[in-house]
Structure formats: structure tokens, C-alpha cells
Amino acid sequence: MSMLHWQSQLSHSIRHQDAAVPEGISERAMAVYRDLFFNNVLSFIDGTFPVAEKIISHQFGRQQWLLLVADFVRDYHCTSPLCLEIPQHFLDYVSEAEIAWLPEWFY
């Protein structure tokens, strides 16, 4: 297996909780990678949209906000490796995804 193929499998496994773990990585290590990645993305989004997070968490529950971010992580493919661009990618995702329960003011 080429390194590029293995890296592709790794990134897919990080983004998709139900995906197979790549060869050479334990389930435990994969869980750590997934948590680190998700929490890092979440911190950028929470830090950029604190008011939106508070309103949505209050109105729909924190779990709903976390599911929205998890859906973003799973479904959206960022075109930039720059972490500071994650919030813009999140807005792009929300605008394109047509999320029925999300208030209009968020778009």
C-alpha cells in the first residue's frame, strides 16, 4: 500500500466514525486521533461563533451543535490546509447543506 493511499484511509477513518481503521493503527489510537481532530475543529468553530453556539445550544441543546460540527467534519472537504480558514469552510458547509432546523439568521 502506498503512503498516499494509507494517508487517505487515515483521514477517511478520522472523519467517519464507522470506517475501518487503517492497517497498523490500533482502535484505541484511532479513537484518540478522532477525538483530537474533532476537538480541534470544534475549538476553532466555537471560538469564532460563540454567540451562535450559545443560542443554538440553548434552543436545541449542546448535542445538536456537536452533531452539526460532526456532520461538517464528516461531509465537508476543506480546500485549504490552513486552520484559520476552518470557520469560513464551516459557513460554506452550513450554507450549502440546507439544514432544516438551523435558524435563518445563521446563514
Side-chain angles (χ1 to χ4, degrees):
M1 173 184 331
S2 73
M3 179 59 87
L4 183 59
H5 180 70
W6 187 84
Q7 286 175 329
S8 179
Q9 277 188 320
L10 178 64
S11 67
H12 181 78
S13 294
I14 289 171
R15 296 163 69 104
H16 299 269
Q17 297 287 327
D18 58 345
V21 174
E23 184 179 323
I25 297 182
S26 70
E27 291 284 342
R28 184 171 179 247
M30 192 73 237
V32 170
Y33 291 142
R34 286 176 177 144
D35 286 347
L36 286 172
F37 182 76
F38 179 79
N39 288 331
N40 193 18
V41 171
L42 180 64
S43 71
F44 277 102
I45 293 171
D46 280 353
T48 304
F49 306 108
V51 174
E53 183 277 324
K54 291 223 182 301
I55 292 171
I56 288 172
S57 291
H58 178 74
Q59 191 171 2
F60 300 100
R62 175 73 174 164
Q63 189 61 31
Q64 192 67 29
W65 177 256
L66 295 175
L67 288 172
L68 177 63
V69 175
D71 289 348
F72 164 69
V73 166
R74 183 192 64 229
D75 298 335
Y76 191 82
H77 295 279
C78 295
T79 56
S80 169
L82 301 177
C83 293
L84 293 177
E85 293 183 8
I86 289 172
Q88 182 58 55
H89 286 290
F90 181 68
L91 283 179
D92 294 344
Y93 167 75
V94 168
S95 297
E96 296 167 7
E98 299 179 14
I99 301 163
W101 62 267
L102 201 57
E104 274 188 39
W105 55 260
F106 194 87
Y107 297 99

